[in-house]
Amino acid sequence: MRTRTWAPYALIAPTLVLMAVFLVYPIGSVVYYSLQRYNVTQPWKNGFAGLDNFKQMLFDDPLFWQSLVFSAKWVFVEVGLQLLLGLILALVVNETFIGRGIARALVFSPWAVSGVLTTGIWILLLNPSTGIFQELSELGIGSPGTSVLGNPDTVFDALVVTELWRGVPFFAILLLADLQSIPKDLYEAASVDGASRWRRFTSVTLPHLKDAIILSTLLRAVWEFNNVDLIYTLTGGGPANQTTTLPLYVARQAVDSHNFGYGSALTVAGFLILLFFSILYLRLSKFGSRA
Amino acid sequence: MTETLTRPPVNTPPPPRKPTKRRRRAVAEEPGKRWLIHVPLVVYLLFTLIPFYWMIVFAVRPTGSTQLVPWPITLEHFDTVWNDIGFGIFFYNSVMIGLGVLVFVTILSTMGGYALARFKFRGQRVFLLALLCTQFIPGAMMLIPLFVIFKGAGLLNSLTGLVIAEVAFQLPLALILMSGFVRNISYELEEAAMVDGCSRMRAFFAVTLPQLKPALVAVGSFAFIGAWNQFLFALMFASRQDKFTLPVGLSYALGEFNTDFGALAAGGVVAAVPVVLVFAVVQRFLVQGLSAGAVKG
């Protein structure tokens, strides 16, 4: 119904104000700061810098490129595995079996746990002297004193598995929501036609999930790109900046170096990358055609 | 019991079959393989639960012990983190922030979600587009301008400031979710009430709000969990230890008490218990809520 009334505007007003002050204005000011020399620890140098920050970023900062490459690797590996495992998990807990409610609550529960807490839990599990590898070595599996977090060769794997622990459940929840919307008749019709379990999966389930998979993967990719708390607390971006993502690099420039100007330029670069993903998302979700 | 067990199966009268039952059997073919579902489930349960178990074991066994089944259990580590390290204060701060965010996000998203679902208004599509776009705004990258704003407004080291920032970041998604829920509730009863002379507001409170209860639970707990786990803003905007939240306190413990695993684990239990409990209660509403349109935009 189309009404000429002030009511909807009054209802969304608080949201609009909050978004304007805490989301829109900050984005504008990031762009402004990115053109400034703005360092809280060296205020006498502050002033207009033009594109100097961007020149420095693109041409004189190997760490920018390194963090970008690591971000891409992180998102690709993490989201790929989450999609695969999350889909399997969603299919499993969508089946009917005794204790399904409890099983769902249990396997989904790590999602509620913060990145910092996840780090804490996995540090306990992986520590070389009393962690799980020590216990396994006493059973004759592996060698005692294995330190996956202290070894540069394995620290990335540890990071990936740790994030999977709390990431897979959320992906599974997203996909489960969509699995439940598939009409049961489709499966019945398929079985009457003699379709095997695998055939039903590929001809009924997957096509139905296609949109949800694409959209949640995109959304998840953005969220994982932006993920800071887990990497910050587990590796701090190390060793030797090997696990520094772009947002982590920004946070370090802001929190540790108080280099707001350069940090803002890095932020703008991040925004441009994410802008690409948002446009892709809006295109694929056919935004507007349904509104 | 024994009679039924020893009775030869040939004698069992065939159970009367309803047509629906036959159809369900057709789907559930390969009955012998159904237990296979438990294999991946058990593997995944182990992956999920072993880390939790490890934390609890460290939290309740005495320092230096390496027992996997801790007995006798001790509460010394809880005493240390709660009283000496200050987790009591962090816990209080986290509860206050979590409840504050819960209240504001729930109320504001219900208002906005109702507006989106029940009205057509000029600028609606732009507003919806803006809401969607916020999902792509990285919190970490907003640190610099937010820090400047908070400093200017005198909101550093205040729980109010953290609540405001978290509400601003959570509200868009909550609003999208809520409008999906409102859309799923039929408008006719509300209209009927208005025809009978109710104001729109009374009609909403009397007819629609009661049906929105699961939505309020889902959105509210989503907001609480998000606020409880918020780390970066809390780390950046609260430098005084009496304003630390649990995640910040934990990250501090990760750095400072590297060797005191008992204290770390006890702090972890303190941080995990409320949020995992909330989650266990509301997770089925979350699944419903997400299918109500969050992913589809």
Side-chain angles (χ1 to χ4, degrees), chain A residues 1 9 22-23 29 33 95-96 106 108 110-112 114 121 130 165 168 188 200 222 226 255 267 281 287, chain B residues 23 27 29 34 37 44 47-48 51 54 58 118 122 132 136 138 141-142 145 148 164 229 236 279 295:
Chain A
M1 102 228 82
Y9 299 105
F22 292 98
L23 299 170
S29 59
Y33 294 146
E95 294 286 325
T96 331
L106 288 177
F108 289 163
W111 169 75
S114 73
I121 292 175
T130 55
W165 182 71
V168 170
E188 286 170 8
R200 290 201 299 271
V222 171
N226 293 335
V255 181
T267 305
Y281 181 91
F287 173 79
Chain B
R23 281 174 70 197
V27 177
E29 56 165 342
R34 281 201 60 79
I37 201 77
Y44 203 84
F47 177 58
T48 303
W54 227 264
F58 270 87
R118 292 288 197 250
R122 200 183 289 269
L132 273 178
F136 296 90
M141 297 191 168
M142 304 292 270
V148 175
I164 296 174
N229 288 335
M236 180 85 174
F279 176 77
V295 205

Side-chain angles (χ1 to χ4, degrees), chain A residues 1-5 7-12 14-16 18-19 21-23 25-27 29-30 33 38 89 92-93 95-97 101 103-114 116-117 119-125 127 130-132 135 161 164-165 168-170 173-174 176-178 180 185 187-188 191 195-197 200 212 215-216 219 222-223 225-226 228-229 232-233 246-247 250-251 254-255 259-260 263-264 266-267 270-271 274 277-278 281-282 285 287-288 290-291, chain B residues 23-24 26-30 34 37-38 40-41 44-45 47-52 54-55 58 61 65-66 68 108-109 111-112 114-116 118-123 125 127-151 155 164-165 167-169 171-173 175 187 200 222 225 228-229 231-232 235-236 247-248 250-251 254 261-262 264-265 267-269 271-272 275-276 279-280 283 286-288 290-291 294-297:
Chain A
M1 102 228 82
R2 184 172 289 277
T3 38
R4 286 190 181 280
T5 160
Y9 299 105
L11 289 171
I12 63 170
T15 307
L16 279 179
L18 276 175
M19 281 172 68
V21 176
F22 292 98
L23 299 170
Y25 168 77
I27 292 175
S29 59
V30 159
Y33 294 146
Y38 184 16
L89 182 61
V92 168
V93 297
E95 294 286 325
T96 331
F97 54 86
R104 274 188 191 170
L106 288 177
V107 294
F108 289 163
S109 57
W111 169 75
V113 169
S114 73
V116 185
L117 183 47
T119 301
I121 292 175
W122 281 79
I123 282 181
L124 296 171
L125 186 77
N127 90 73
T130 55
I132 190 149
E135 295 298 335
V161 172
L164 282 178
W165 182 71
V168 170
F170 190 54
I173 294 174
L174 286 176
L176 178 64
D178 219 59
Q180 292 184 343
D185 307 1
Y187 289 106
E188 286 170 8
S191 339
S196 67
R197 192 168 264 272
R200 290 201 299 271
L215 294 181
S216 51
L219 209 55
V222 171
W223 287 349
F225 180 84
N226 293 335
V228 169
D229 50 5
Y232 181 94
T233 50
L246 186 60
V250 173
V255 181
N259 197 347
F260 286 4
S264 297
L266 294 170
T267 305
F271 275 142
L274 290 174
F277 282 101
S278 10
Y281 181 91
L282 294 175
S285 67
F287 173 79
R290 255 182 282 183
Chain B
R23 281 174 70 197
R24 202 178 305 139
V27 177
E29 56 165 342
E30 304 153 292
R34 281 201 60 79
I37 201 77
H38 289 91
L41 187 70
Y44 203 84
L45 269 173
F47 177 58
T48 303
L49 296 179
I50 286 177
F52 277 127
W54 227 264
M55 172 174 71
F58 270 87
R61 73 187 178 192
S65 159
T66 53
L68 268 191
L108 294 179
S109 68
M111 287 165 54
Y114 185 81
L116 271 185
R118 292 288 197 250
F119 292 97
K120 269 204 175 359
F121 54 94
R122 200 183 289 269
R125 270 192 59 178
F127 180 58
L128 196 56
L129 185 68
L131 290 178
L132 273 178
C133 286
T134 58
Q135 294 314 299
F136 296 90
I137 295 179
M141 297 191 168
M142 304 292 270
L143 278 177
I144 293 167
L146 286 178
F147 188 82
V148 175
I149 293 174
F150 273 59
K151 205 172 174 187
L155 285 173
I164 296 174
V167 170
F169 268 80
L171 196 49
L173 186 62
L175 211 155
Y187 186 48
R200 183 181 271 276
F222 212 69
I225 292 172
W228 186 267
N229 288 335
F231 172 62
L232 210 56
L235 179 76
M236 180 85 174
V248 178
L250 261 181
S251 78
L254 282 173
F261 288 141
L264 176 61
V269 171
V275 82
V276 170
F279 176 77
Q283 47 95 16
L286 283 181
V287 175
Q288 286 172 16
L290 288 166
S291 61
V295 205
K296 292 166 198 162

Side-chain angles (χ1 to χ4, degrees), chain B residues 62-81:
Chain B
T63 313
S65 159
T66 53
Q67 292 166 289
L68 268 191
V69 183
W71 191 259
I73 61 172
T74 168
L75 295 179
E76 55 167 313
H77 302 305
F78 289 96
D79 183 45
T80 308
V81 292

Side-chain angles (χ1 to χ4, degrees), chain A residues 83-160:
Chain A
L83 173 61
L84 184 68
L85 297 175
L87 182 60
I88 294 172
L89 182 61
L91 288 169
V92 168
V93 297
N94 194 38
E95 294 286 325
T96 331
F97 54 86
I98 297 163
R100 184 175 72 170
I102 292 170
R104 274 188 191 170
L106 288 177
V107 294
F108 289 163
S109 57
W111 169 75
V113 169
S114 73
V116 185
L117 183 47
T118 308
T119 301
I121 292 175
W122 281 79
I123 282 181
L124 296 171
L125 186 77
L126 297 178
N127 90 73
S129 53
T130 55
I132 190 149
F133 287 113
Q134 177 62 29
E135 295 298 335
L136 286 176
S137 75
E138 278 168 23
L139 297 173
I141 306 164
S143 53
T146 308
S147 166
V148 282
L149 291 173
N151 183 345
D153 296 333
T154 49
V155 69
F156 178 71
D157 301 332
L159 202 58
V160 168

Side-chain angles (χ1 to χ4, degrees), chain B residues 236-294:
Chain B
M236 180 85 174
F237 303 145
S239 52
R240 286 211 334 250
Q241 206 169 333
D242 64 323
K243 299 296 176 196
F244 277 9
T245 60
L246 284 170
V248 178
L250 261 181
S251 78
Y252 180 71
L254 282 173
E256 302 283 311
F257 303 100
N258 258 338
T259 44
D260 190 352
F261 288 141
L264 176 61
V269 171
V270 170
V273 164
V275 82
V276 170
L277 281 184
V278 169
F279 176 77
V281 175
V282 303
Q283 47 95 16
R284 61 203 170 89
F285 294 115
L286 283 181
V287 175
Q288 286 172 16
L290 288 166
S291 61

